[in-house]
Amino acid sequence: MAGIDGITTGTDTTAMIAQLMAVEARPQAMLKQKVSSSQTFVTALQNLNAKIASLAETAGKVAKPAGTDLYSAVASSDKVTVVTKPGAAAGALDIRVDRLATAQVSLSGAMAAWPNGDALSISADGTITEFDTAGKSLDEVINTVNKANLGVTAVKIAAGSVDGVAQYRMQFTATATGSEGAFSISHNGTDLGNIRPAQDAQVTLWAGVAGAETLITSATNTFADLLPGVDVSVKEVSAAPVTVSVNRDEKAVTDVAAKLVAGLVDVFSYINRNSAVSVSTADGTTKATGGQFTGDSGVRALKDTIMRAATSPVDGRSPSEIGIIITKDGTVEFNAEKFAAALKADPEKTQAALQSIASRVETAGKDISDKYEGSITLRIKGQESEVRSLNTQIADWDRRLSSRQATLSRTWSTLEVTLGKLNSQMDWLTSQLDSFSASSSKK
C-alpha cells in the first residue's frame, strides 16, 4: 500500500505526512538545538581553559627565583665570551688569558705502507693498548686505532714521495683538549713524542696584585662558573687584563613581567568578549544577543579569582606601584616604564612582589585548569556528559519518529485503498440504478 499518494482522495498525503512529522519532530529539534548550543559552550570553555593553563605555566616560571634573577654579562674584549646561567649575580672581575687549551698531536715517520710486524701501542688514561698490525695495510692500522675509542684519532697525511713511491705520515690527535686528553704512543718501542703537547687553558685573576694573583686552569677554553652562574670562554691569549662585568638585566626582567600581564590580558579579554551582549537591528526590530559567557556566574567567579590573585596588595603595596594596573574595561595593563623605575629603585622588593603575584596567579590558574580536578575541567566534563545524554534522546526520537511516519503512511495508504473500493462500489451501484431506471421508463 506504500506509495499511494491521493490517488482516490486527491490529497497530497506525502506533503501532509511531512507536515505532521515536522510537528511531531519539534521536541527533537529543540534537543538538537540544545546540543549545538552546548557544544559551542564546551568549545568556548576549552579555549578558556587552554588560555588559563598557559597563564598558569607562565606564572609558575616567573614565581621561581630563576624566573626574575636575570643577569647579562659583557667582556671588555671580543676575544672573551661570557654566558650567564641561573644563579648569576652582579659583579666584575679582571682576568688575563695566559694560554689556550690544546689537544695533543703526535706524528709518525714517513712510510709508504705499514711495515709488517711493526708494533704499535697507545697509553691513555693509564692503560696501555697493544694493536695487532700483522699483515695490515696502513689504512687498516688507522681504522683499528680509530675503532678502539681510546680518545685518539688517526689519519694518514701525504708526505711527498721517494723514488716515485708516495709517502705518508700517521697523525695521532687527542679528541679532547687539555692535559686530561694526553696520551703516549710508541712505534716498535720508540715513543713518537708530540709535535703539539696537551695543554690546559689558563687565566690569571688579579694579575700583578701581590698576594692575590691566582691561576685558574681548564681542560677546555671555557671556565665554568668563574663567577657564580657565569661561564667565561676565551679565544686568544691577552697580555692585558680583560674585564668581565655582570649586571642585572633590567630589560629582561621587565619583559618577563610584561609577558605575565599579557597572559592575564589574554584571559580577561577572552572572557569579556564572550560575555558581551551584541545589539542588532533588522526590519525595524532591535535584537540583543548574549555571548557564550553572558550571565554565567561560574565564569564570572573564576575571572574574579584570577583578578584578585593578580591585583591584590603584596605586603601592603598595590601591584599598580610596579606597573600592573586594573583598567575600567575589566582587565589589566602593564606600564613598563613604571615597572622599570620600581626595579631600579628597589630591585629585591620589586622582584619579590612580582614573584608573589605570579605565585598567586599560578595557584589560581592551576585550581581552575587542572586537567583532572580543575573547576573548568569538571564543568566541561559535565557539559560533555549532558551532550551525550541529549544525543541518546535524539537517537530515541529518530526511532520514534520513524515508527510514527511508517504508521501515518500505512494509515493513509489504507484509507486511500478503502475509499477506492467504496468509490468502485458506489460507481457499480449507480450504474445499476441507472440501468433499472432506464428499463422502468421503457415500460
Side-chain angles (χ1 to χ4, degrees):
M1 293 184 288
I4 298 176
D5 189 6
I7 194 171
T8 301
T9 63
T11 303
D12 187 351
T13 55
T14 299
M16 184 177 65
I17 290 173
Q19 291 172 358
L20 289 173
M21 290 307 301
V23 174
E24 295 270 0
R26 284 177 182 173
Q28 187 192 46
M30 293 175 65
L31 289 174
K32 288 181 177 179
Q33 184 177 6
K34 191 171 183 180
V35 166
S36 177
S37 176
S38 295
Q39 288 174 331
T40 302
F41 183 59
V42 166
T43 299
L45 286 178
Q46 288 172 333
N47 291 337
L48 177 59
N49 205 41
K51 290 179 180 295
I52 294 177
S54 177
L55 171 63
E57 182 180 359
T58 298
K61 294 177 181 177
V62 179
K64 295 180 175 63
T68 54
D69 283 342
L70 304 176
Y71 293 84
S72 61
V74 295
S76 60
S77 169
D78 61 0
K79 303 304 180 182
V80 174
T81 304
V82 189
V83 177
T84 58
K85 304 180 296 186
L93 180 67
D94 288 341
I95 64 172
R96 185 185 68 204
V97 182
D98 301 325
R99 63 175 185 249
L100 300 180
T102 57
Q104 178 182 332
V105 177
S106 296
L107 195 64
S108 75
M111 62 186 80
W114 184 260
N116 188 30
D118 277 12
L120 180 69
S121 66
I122 294 178
S123 175
D125 293 328
T127 301
I128 299 176
T129 302
E130 300 282 350
F131 294 94
D132 178 12
T133 62
K136 291 184 178 179
S137 68
L138 188 57
D139 287 335
E140 288 173 332
V141 172
I142 289 171
N143 288 335
T144 300
V145 171
N146 291 335
K147 289 179 180 179
N149 294 320
L150 298 177
V152 179
T153 60
V155 64
K156 72 177 183 180
I157 298 175
S161 63
V162 176
D163 296 331
V165 178
Q167 301 292 302
Y168 301 93
R169 302 186 78 172
M170 294 178 67
Q171 178 174 292
F172 302 90
T173 305
T175 57
T177 57
S179 57
E180 292 182 0
F183 62 93
S184 62
I185 183 167
S186 64
H187 179 195
N188 267 352
T190 301
D191 193 326
L192 298 182
N194 60 73
I195 60 172
R196 186 178 69 193
Q199 176 178 273
D200 289 337
Q202 178 180 295
V203 297
T204 300
L205 312 183
W206 309 292
V209 180
E213 191 171 271
T214 303
L215 303 181
I216 304 293
T217 60
S218 171
T220 70
N221 288 322
T222 296
F223 294 80
D225 295 312
L226 193 59
L227 287 164
V230 178
D231 293 345
V232 178
S233 298
V234 296
K235 302 176 184 177
E236 188 177 281
V237 171
S238 64
V242 176
T243 300
V244 174
S245 302
V246 184
N247 297 289
R248 188 184 305 278
D249 193 338
E250 295 183 354
K251 182 182 183 305
V253 179
T254 301
D255 289 345
V256 165
K259 185 176 180 180
L260 174 64
V261 176
L264 289 164
V265 171
D266 188 36
V267 170
F268 294 148
S269 297
Y270 185 77
I271 293 174
N272 291 346
R273 286 196 306 272
N274 283 277
S275 299
V277 176
S278 59
V279 179
S280 60
T281 302
D283 299 328
T285 302
T286 300
K287 180 182 179 182
T289 305
Q292 290 300 314
F293 301 148
T294 301
D296 192 293
S297 59
V299 173
R300 186 167 57 249
L302 69 86
K303 178 188 175 183
D304 290 343
T305 297
I306 298 175
M307 182 66 80
R308 284 195 303 272
T311 61
S312 294
V314 177
D315 295 332
R317 297 178 62 196
S318 170
S320 63
E321 294 183 27
I322 62 170
I324 301 176
I325 304 166
I326 304 176
T327 70
K328 63 180 180 180
D329 299 324
T331 182
V332 292
E333 64 182 12
F334 183 64
N335 187 318
E337 291 76 14
K338 198 167 186 177
F339 181 87
L343 188 64
K344 187 177 293 292
D346 194 336
E348 287 71 22
K349 185 173 288 187
T350 301
Q351 283 184 236
L354 180 61
Q355 289 172 358
S356 179
I357 292 169
S359 179
R360 295 187 314 208
V361 171
E362 179 190 21
T363 299
K366 285 184 175 179
D367 288 344
I368 292 167
S369 65
D370 181 80
K371 63 180 180 180
Y372 298 112
E373 298 297 332
S375 57
I376 293 185
T377 302
L378 295 176
R379 191 165 184 193
I380 289 173
K381 290 179 180 178
Q383 289 289 320
E384 290 175 336
S385 177
E386 181 180 350
V387 167
R388 288 193 293 271
S389 176
L390 291 173
N391 282 328
T392 299
Q393 295 179 52
I394 290 171
D396 290 341
W397 268 100
D398 282 336
R399 291 187 289 272
R400 189 182 309 171
L401 292 172
S402 178
S403 175
R404 177 60 174 158
Q405 184 170 6
T407 299
L408 288 173
S409 296
R410 286 195 302 271
T411 299
W412 281 98
S413 294
T414 300
L415 178 61
E416 288 289 344
V417 171
T418 301
L419 287 175
K421 290 180 179 178
L422 290 174
N423 284 338
S424 296
Q425 291 176 359
M426 184 176 68
D427 289 342
W428 182 81
L429 288 173
T430 299
S431 65
Q432 292 299 313
L433 288 173
D434 289 341
S435 176
F436 179 77
S437 298
S439 298
S440 298
S441 59
K442 287 179 181 181
K443 292 180 180 180

